[in-house]
Structure formats: structure tokens, C-alpha cells
Amino acid sequence: MYEKLELFIDGEWRQGSEGKSEDVLNPATEEVLGQCPHASIADLDQALDSAERAFEEWKAKSSWDRAVILKEAARLINERKQEIGQIMTQEQGKPIGDSIGEVKSASETTEWFAEEGKRAYGRLIPSRIPGQRSMVMPEPVGISLALTPWNFPALLPVRKIAAGLAAGCPVIIKPSEETPGSGVAIVRCFVDAGVPAGVLNLVFGVPDDVSRHLISSGRIRKMSFTGSIPVGKHLAKVAADHLVRCTFELGGHSPVLVFDDANIDTVIKHMVPFKYRNSGQVCISPTRFYVHEKVYDDFVSRFTEAANAMQVGNGMDAKTQMGPMANGRRIVAMEEFMQDARDHNVEITTGGNRIGNQGYFWEPTVLANVPEEAMIMSKEPFGPLAPIARFEDFDDVVARANRLPYGLASYCYTSDQKRADQLAEALDTGMVGVNNFMISMPETPFSGVKESGYGYESGAEGLEVYLHHKFVSQTGM
Ligand code: NAD
């Protein structure tokens, strides 16, 4: 069964006041699953009014009282993970086990922020004047806008909702209109847990119309966007007019450096499922493999064999390891990457083509001997393509890894501790995985450098971005 798609404004589930909506497709079958309602301008203004009213009440609640509600939301998300997982697989495509796993992570993230809200500590600064108190008091920044994409339609909304609410901010969320059911189902958990009217509003619409109207109202004090670099740059300009604080998570082009002393069994075991996870539509997906000359041929043949063995199909089928891509735009993009790869005489060791003509399926693909000039070495593929290139020299491979304007994640494999330390410092990304890829957890900061964005999600830093530290100088007691 698919989710009933509704807006949630000022404590009420309902359709948009002008009755507008758009089709939601199942990417495995291209069938219409439902109608995503669009909020009108009046609906957006009502969401803002209710958030403004609710702010005082939510801010005044103790962090312990807020935590009770958030923990109940976490419990409900976990309790409903099978149902929400099925909604997600239908609208987004990923295998059902991965969808359920994502919902479980959403529950853990909510639980973690419920507790972390209790640790928004202030400070007492030793005074230079007798009788004076210098106090630093954290306060929620105000109404926060969360804009989330289609690739992780449960976890990404939760990272923003749970952190904002734990800090004491009302949140208006606009999840992707292409995967609205997961966002609706997640918001239902917060509502059913007792989040007061106005503290959480859920809207959909034409993305630019919604974000522009809300940000330009001057009533939004914080915005957090996950998506593409061009849209991030555009939103940064809109936000600048009102000096809205921003967090941007804008994707990357993550290099994987495999040295000749690496345990190749481990690299293959980690990196093949990770590369094809969510059909490669993951911002921290490994997207450029640089493999030492001495182990290159062995690596390519083992990677190819493992990629070849992947089961591709409808995500609702328990045997499926890789589902379809999320939308037709990704097929067009893969075709462009493949045409460019062929123009550069790249060796295609497996895959390279669309599967069938119904649903957005693409073969797990491995590209060998890829020159640095090929488009795929500079543009984020966001699909199941694994380009593999050779290297010989440490400085050369680090320079190639750091060459792009992206700086989200990087990975390296070596058994030499000194080299591991050097790489952790030299790789210019917000997150580095050394002999592993565990870089996304509720308790650890998730962020990029350069054009991958700024600000943080998750970790203590992910709460901090929703707080302002007010300074109070007091005398006369
Ligand atoms: P896109 O750039 O049009 O949209 C990306 C996301 O931003 C979508 O969810 C969309 O609804 C939203 N969006 C677009 N314009 C907006 C606006 N003005 N205000 C608010 N939200 C807006 O492209 P796309 O085809 O959906 O995805 C293409 C590329 O985006 C991918 O190749 C990838 O590089 C990037 N992307 C990154 C992530 C991530 O996790 N960082 C997620 C999805 C897409």
C-alpha cells in the first residue's frame, strides 16, 4: 500500500487550498502511485504564521520535555519501519532491505538528537569586573526551512527535523515531490508523538516557488538544503538577501585510493556494494577509483566479477541488490557519461547499458583505464558507473584526488599506518574513510568543504547550527 499524500499545516492534514497536485511515479514500473498535493501561497503563509505562533511555546519547553516527544517519534518511526520502507521502495526504487535500514537510521537519528538537545550547554565566562556576570546562553535561531531530495527520502528529512526541533526551532519541511510518501509517513510519526500544532509543517509544490516565497518572507531564520551544487548556489543567493543562516550538503565526487599494500579482499567487499548502493545515487558514493599500478589488473577483474554478479530488479523483490534509478533524468545522464567514455576509448569491462525500456534500470557498470579527461572523472555520475584509473606515485594520486571543486568524502585503503595518517591529513574533503566507509552516523558530523557545501548535519555540530549563543552581561544583583 502507498501513503496517503497530504500537506500538514498548522496541525491539520489536508490538500492544497487551490487543489493543485502532480503525479508520483514508481521508477521500477513507471506507474502512477499517487498525487502529490501542492501548497498555495496562502497555504505557505499559513505555515509561516503557525510556525511563528508555535515558536514561543516550543522554545519555552525544557529540552527534557522536547526529548520525551522526540523519543516517542523515534519509537514510532522504528515501529513503522516495514510500512515506511515499502512506501519508500515504491516511490524511490531502492531494495526493500535498504529502505527499511534507512528508516531504522532515521529512528536512531531522532533518538540521538532527543538526547543531544539536553546538551546545548551555555557558559559562564570569568568576569573582569567585580559583581558582573558574563553569561553565554544558547537559544534556538527561529523558524527553520528544510529542503530535501529524493535519494534518502526518510533519513534526510529527519536529520533536519530532529536537529531543529531538539534545538527548539519550529521546522517547515519541503521534501522532494518525486518521493513525497516517505516524508509524509515520517512527519506522521512526529505528529502522532505529540509535536504541537505549528511546530512542524509539511509542504510540497514547485520547488523554486516554495523556497523563494518562504525565504523571501524574511521570517525564516535558518535554511538547510541537500541537493545539487547549482541549486545550492541559487538558494544561497536568495538566502543572502535576508541573511538567512544556511547549511548546504551539495554532493561530491569521492575518490577511493587503493594502495599496493591494501587488503584487496576487504576493498572489494566494502566498495562493490557501496558503489552500487541506491544505484549509485548517494552523495558520498565512491565515484573515482584510483588503484596502484601493481594491483590494478587484479582489482579491475575482481571488481568486474562482483559487479557482474549483482542482482538488478524491482526493489520489492527480496532477491534484488540494486533497484532502478529514481527517475528518467538519471537514464539520460548515464547515456551521456557512456557516450563520453566511448569517445575517450574507455574499456567497458561490464555493463554500460539501460536494462529494458520500462522502469529506469541500468546495468552495474565498470569502466577501466579511464583518463582524467573523461567527463566521469570530473562530473558527479550519481548512478551505477564505477570508473577505475591507475596511479604509481603518492603525491600524484593525492593531487588527482584533490583536483575537483568537490570536497565531500574520500576513502583510502593501505596497511601502512604512516601513510594512513598522511592521507587523513592530505585528502581535502569533509570526511575521510581510512580502510572503511563508515562516515555517516547520527553521532558524527557530516559535512563538505569547497563546493560540496558548508554547515553540518548530525553530530553535536548538527545541533549547533540551529542555535544562537546570546551573550548577557549582568550587574546589580
Ligand atoms: P536538481 O538539481 O533539479 O534538484 C536537486 C534537488 O533540489 C531536488 O530534490 C529538487 O526538488 C530540489 N530543488 C531544485 N530546485 C530547488 C529550489 N529552487 N528550491 C528548493 N529545492 C529545489 O536535480 P535532480 O535531477 O533532482 O538531481 C540531479 C543532481 O543533483 C544529481 O546528479 C546530484 O548531483 C544532485 N543531488 C544530490 C543529492 C545529495 O544527496 N547531495 C541528492 C539529490 C540530487
Side-chain angles (χ1 to χ4, degrees), residues 327-367:
N327 54 60
R329 298 188 300 287
R330 300 314 317 141
I331 292 283
V332 175
M334 294 310 106
E335 279 163 354
E336 222 185 300
F337 280 114
M338 289 310 303
Q339 186 53 51
D340 177 85
R342 290 188 181 100
D343 292 348
H344 282 89
N345 298 319
V346 162
E347 190 188 336
I348 304 162
T349 65
T350 188
N353 298 296
R354 183 176 183 176
I355 304 173
N357 56 13
Q358 193 174 36
Y360 310 122
F361 295 95
W362 192 273
E363 293 172 330
T365 299
V366 178
L367 306 172

Side-chain angles (χ1 to χ4, degrees), residues 147-152 156 174-178 207-209 211-212 225-231 234-235 249-252 281-283 327 329-330 380-382 406 408:
L147 301 167
T148 55
W150 41 263
N151 57 341
F152 289 92
L156 297 179
K174 190 202 77 59
S176 164
E177 290 70 22
E178 293 179 299
D208 197 43
D209 294 352
S211 55
R212 243 178 221 279
F225 171 74
T226 302
S228 63
I229 292 177
V231 174
H234 161 70
L235 289 172
E249 200 279 86
L250 305 177
Q281 303 163 121
V282 183
C283 53
N327 54 60
R329 298 188 300 287
R330 300 314 317 141
E380 182 183 23
F382 231 62
Y406 299 95
L408 190 62

Side-chain angles (χ1 to χ4, degrees), residues 33-327:
L33 289 166
Q35 293 296 313
C36 177
H38 282 197
S40 65
I41 295 296
D43 297 331
L44 296 177
D45 288 340
Q46 198 189 341
L48 284 166
D49 290 344
S50 73
E52 216 157 61
R53 274 198 310 273
F55 183 32
E56 289 311 313
E57 178 197 344
W58 189 245
K59 178 179 166 181
K61 253 192 203 312
S62 79
S63 57
W64 286 71
D65 287 343
R66 290 197 290 258
V68 170
I69 297 175
L70 290 179
K71 282 185 179 190
E72 175 60 6
R75 193 190 67 73
L76 290 172
I77 294 171
N78 190 49
E79 187 176 272
R80 299 176 190 174
K81 61 180 178 295
Q82 305 283 343
E83 295 89 313
I84 303 177
Q86 289 194 8
I87 292 162
M88 192 190 302
T89 292
Q90 289 177 73
E91 64 183 12
Q92 202 274 343
K94 70 182 65 164
I96 184 69
D98 291 358
S99 294
I100 295 169
E102 180 183 332
V103 181
K104 197 159 169 281
S105 299
S107 166
E108 287 174 359
T109 300
T110 307
E111 165 85 29
W112 192 82
F113 274 114
E115 282 299 324
E116 191 62 9
K118 297 175 185 174
R119 289 182 276 278
Y121 301 132
R123 267 188 306 154
L124 203 55
I125 297 172
S127 177
R128 58 165 69 201
I129 304 159
Q132 185 235 19
R133 267 192 202 161
S134 286
M135 296 179 286
V136 179
M137 306 197 316
E139 291 190 345
V141 293
I143 305 175
S144 300
L145 175 62
L147 301 167
T148 55
W150 41 263
N151 57 341
F152 289 92
L155 181 60
L156 297 179
V158 156
R159 278 187 178 171
K160 301 175 199 297
I161 294 173
L165 296 190
C169 299
V171 175
I172 300 178
I173 178 145
K174 190 202 77 59
S176 164
E177 290 70 22
E178 293 179 299
T179 53
S182 310
V184 169
I186 287 288
V187 168
R188 283 195 205 285
C189 296
F190 284 90
V191 172
D192 295 349
V195 170
V199 172
L200 181 57
N201 286 278
L202 164 75
V203 297
F204 296 105
V206 174
D208 197 43
D209 294 352
V210 174
S211 55
R212 243 178 221 279
H213 184 76
L214 292 174
I215 298 166
S216 305
S217 71
R219 297 156 87 184
I220 299 288
R221 296 288 18 121
K222 161 83 194 167
M223 189 246 290
S224 178
F225 171 74
T226 302
S228 63
I229 292 177
V231 174
K233 287 181 178 174
H234 161 70
L235 289 172
K237 288 177 194 148
V238 179
D241 272 346
H242 300 274
L243 291 175
V244 174
R245 291 155 197 261
C246 294
T247 296
F248 286 113
E249 200 279 86
L250 305 177
H253 202 333
S254 310
V256 184
L257 281 53
V258 182
F259 286 82
D260 52 346
D261 58 356
N263 181 332
I264 302 294
D265 287 344
T266 304
V267 189
I268 297 291
K269 198 166 108 212
H270 287 180
M271 283 295 150
V272 174
F274 189 38
K275 169 66 248 179
Y276 299 111
R277 179 172 168 225
N278 204 4
S279 307
Q281 303 163 121
V282 183
C283 53
I284 55 169
S285 182
T287 44
R288 296 179 282 152
F289 290 88
Y290 293 108
V291 181
H292 193 276
E293 176 66 35
K294 282 191 191 152
V295 290
Y296 183 85
D297 292 337
D298 181 40
F299 182 86
V300 170
S301 81
R302 288 162 80 175
F303 202 108
T304 302
E305 196 184 326
N308 227 344
M310 297 280 303
Q311 290 276 339
V312 183
N314 189 316
M316 295 303 278
D317 182 339
K319 290 196 301 296
T320 294
Q321 294 171 303
M322 189 178 98
M325 286 184 290
N327 54 60

Side-chain angles (χ1 to χ4, degrees), residues 254-257 259 288 290 394 397-403 406-413 419-434 449-450:
S254 310
V256 184
L257 281 53
F259 286 82
R288 296 179 282 152
Y290 293 108
F394 180 94
V397 76
V398 168
R400 284 155 79 189
N402 288 342
R403 150 183 97 77
Y406 299 95
L408 190 62
S410 56
Y411 310 91
C412 52
Y413 284 82
R419 187 186 279 148
D421 292 343
Q422 284 172 332
L423 287 165
E425 278 187 31
L427 291 168
D428 196 9
T429 52
M431 296 162 290
V432 183
V434 182
V449 295
K450 301 195 275 187

Side-chain angles (χ1 to χ4, degrees), residues 438-457:
M438 292 177 295
I439 57 166
S440 176
M441 290 169 276
E443 66 275 25
T444 56
F446 190 96
S447 73
V449 295
K450 301 195 275 187
E451 294 198 1
S452 287
Y454 48 79
Y456 296 89
E457 294 206 283

